[in-house]
Amino acid sequence: MKKQLPYFLIAFLLPVTAMLWWWGLFSTTTLQSGEYGGYRYVYLDAQGLYSKLMKTQNEVSFQLKLQGIVPGSEVTLVMTDPRTTPQDKLLARTGFLISADAEPKAPLKVDTIAKREVVVAEIKAHPLFAYGKAYSALLDYTKEHKTTLHLPTLEIYDHSVLRVEMPLTSDQVTEVDTR
């Protein structure tokens, strides 16, 4: 058995550890606060499990291609807390950042998020790990500052980097552009 241990380490444990490192399992989340925003995004509403948002985001991507609009980073505005909301009542908006001169047509919707004071959790990792680590850092922040998770949070995912922006106060809301 002892003679086989080095082979086990080389053939199995090292490659698995390297893969998990590459995917960001050992990455840490950075937290910072400041004024962020001034975003314009195109989206579709989604209801239900957040793990199924990719289907809606793919529909937004398809519609943008049909309309000849180049999408920016992936965005999701999380409207309800999955810890306290039944799965079938979860609400989100998912889509992409777009330029100021883009004019998407129905069924796509457009919204803007003004500059506001937020706490930003940022991590470079595979989505499998990134979302859990980012929200865990935000929840630790809320405990440390004796507050709660303020919604909606804005998730921006670009080039394997996830940014989750949480408003510092619960009264910061976005205004919907009805175009």
Side-chain angles (χ1 to χ4, degrees):
M1 182 70 171
K2 288 184 181 182
K3 291 180 183 179
Q4 296 173 346
L5 184 60
Y7 297 113
F8 172 77
L9 291 173
I10 292 170
F12 180 73
L13 194 56
L14 287 178
V16 168
T17 304
M19 180 186 67
L20 292 173
W21 172 81
W22 180 262
W23 282 359
L25 177 64
F26 307 112
S27 296
T28 57
T29 305
T30 60
L31 283 176
Q32 61 187 22
S33 60
E35 187 176 76
Y36 293 88
Y39 306 118
R40 184 168 185 255
Y41 67 103
V42 62
Y43 71 96
L44 287 174
D45 292 309
Q47 185 170 350
L49 290 173
Y50 289 149
S51 61
K52 300 192 187 259
L53 288 174
M54 187 55 69
K55 181 180 177 187
T56 305
Q57 196 158 60
N58 288 339
E59 177 62 23
V60 174
S61 178
F62 177 74
Q63 289 293 328
L64 288 173
K65 284 180 185 171
L66 285 178
Q67 297 179 28
I69 298 171
V70 178
S73 302
E74 298 174 7
V75 296
T76 299
L77 195 67
V78 176
M79 311 298 274
T80 52
D81 188 340
R83 298 170 304 156
T84 58
T85 307
Q87 291 179 352
D88 60 332
K89 302 271 192 249
L90 294 172
L91 300 173
R93 295 176 174 178
T94 190
F96 297 89
L97 294 177
I98 56 171
S99 66
D101 60 340
E103 292 296 332
K105 311 257 185 293
L108 299 177
K109 300 174 184 179
V110 176
D111 196 1
T112 56
I113 297 178
K115 285 193 177 223
R116 73 254 186 263
E117 288 292 321
V118 296
V119 175
V120 177
E122 186 172 278
I123 185 168
K124 181 173 181 162
H126 188 279
L128 183 65
F129 304 119
Y131 290 93
K133 287 179 166 251
Y135 278 98
S136 177
L138 285 174
L139 290 172
D140 289 346
Y141 174 90
T142 61
K143 285 179 191 172
E144 183 179 315
H145 291 84
K146 295 178 177 41
T147 185
T148 60
L149 185 68
H150 298 136
L151 295 172
T153 56
L154 176 67
E155 303 170 352
I156 302 173
Y157 193 76
D158 189 33
H159 295 95
S160 298
V161 176
L162 174 66
R163 288 175 53 93
V164 180
E165 298 180 4
M166 179 188 76
L168 282 177
T169 60
S170 58
D171 62 342
Q172 295 174 338
V173 293
T174 60
E175 298 203 16
V176 176
D177 183 346
T178 56
R179 283 186 276 165

